[in-house]
């Protein structure tokens, strides 16, 4: 809530900053915002895009199930994504898989078009 006194003047450009306490985990769809004041409202307008990964896909070489701990089924999994923004070299990419999947500490990397 923002109090504006003595009101808003016709044709004048206003700017203000507000703190968003927490962003959602992904850009909402639809991602529209609106402003209202004294029973007047704006047409919904497009919000900002969150820094995130888009075009996410995951593909497994096969979907065979392991039957025992001693006879684990190995699988090559390809993760593809597009970062919304450039990320400087030296960052750490963390992949979290559901319970039961085991990922080696050292993994390979590659880039695609």
């Amino acid at each position: 809530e923002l109090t504006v006194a003595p009101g808003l003047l016709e044709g004048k450009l206003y700017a203000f900053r507000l703190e968003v306490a927490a962003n959602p985990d992904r850009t909402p769809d639809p991602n529209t915002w609106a402003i209202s004041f004294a029973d007047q409202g704006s047409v919904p307008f497009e919000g900002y895009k969150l820094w995130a990964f888009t075009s996410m896909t995951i593909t497994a070489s096969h979907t065979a199930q392991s039957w025992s701990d001693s006879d684990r089924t190995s699988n090559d999994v390809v993760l593809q994504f597009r970062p919304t923004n450039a990320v400087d070299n030296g960052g750490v990419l963390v992949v979290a898989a559901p319970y039961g999947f085991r990922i080696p500490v050292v993994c390979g990397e590659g880039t695609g078009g």
Side-chain angles (χ1 to χ4, degrees):
E1 184 175 305
L2 175 66
T3 302
V4 180
L8 302 174
L9 301 175
E10 178 183 344
K12 183 172 172 96
L13 178 64
Y14 292 88
F16 61 91
R17 180 188 313 221
L18 63 101
E19 178 185 352
V20 175
N23 282 331
D25 61 349
R26 63 182 54 97
T27 301
D29 184 21
N31 183 19
T32 53
W33 294 52
I35 296 174
S36 63
F37 180 74
D39 297 327
Q40 299 293 315
S42 72
V43 172
F45 54 92
E46 189 66 23
Y48 59 95
K49 193 172 189 178
L50 297 174
W51 278 40
F53 297 113
T54 61
S55 304
M56 299 287 299
T57 62
I58 184 168
T59 308
S61 59
H62 59 82
T63 55
Q65 180 180 358
S66 295
W67 291 102
S68 69
D69 283 341
S70 63
D71 188 26
R72 286 288 187 192
T73 303
S74 178
N75 198 349
D76 291 324
V77 175
V78 175
L79 296 167
Q80 291 183 310
F81 59 90
R82 293 185 192 282
T84 301
N85 298 292
V87 181
D88 292 335
N89 189 1
V92 175
L93 181 66
V94 177
V95 177
Y99 177 79
F101 289 94
R102 295 182 187 170
I103 301 172
V105 175
V106 178
C107 295
E109 66 171 290
T111 58

